[in-house]
Amino acid sequence: KKRVLVSAANAERNKACRSALRTSIKKANAAIEANAPEAAEAVKVAVSKIDQAAGKGILHKNTASRKKAQLSVKLNKIGA
């Protein structure tokens, strides 16, 4: 009984964290696409969220590294 409750609570927490992560990545990509001046800041926030998710075990470390690299490449292409 307790395991089920704890597991459900953890799943809910992971879902919220994953959702926030995806939102920040989308915002960063949108800022890059729009060539917005705040693109660098948006990428910085997204990278921070990615690192947090990897630290909590929500993302695998290689996946986190790949996502950060993809954002960096996109950001460097627009020359920010």
Side-chain angles (χ1 to χ4, degrees), residues 14-34:
N14 288 345
K15 188 189 282 187
C17 189
R18 197 176 309 118
S19 176
L21 171 69
R22 287 189 184 135
T23 302
S24 67
I25 291 173
K26 282 180 188 173
K27 282 182 181 175
N29 281 326
I32 290 169
E33 294 295 323

Side-chain angles (χ1 to χ4, degrees), residues 3-4 11 13 20 22 30 32 38 45 57 68 70 73 76:
R3 252 308 92 199
V4 173
R13 191 178 314 115
R22 287 189 184 135
I32 290 169
E38 67 273 3
V45 170
K68 291 193 302 189
Q70 287 170 343
V73 166
N76 289 339

Side-chain angles (χ1 to χ4, degrees), residues 17 20-21 24-25 44-54 59:
C17 189
L21 171 69
S24 67
I25 291 173
K44 194 173 176 185
V45 170
V47 165
S48 173
K49 291 271 188 194
I50 291 169
D51 284 336
Q52 284 177 0
L59 281 182

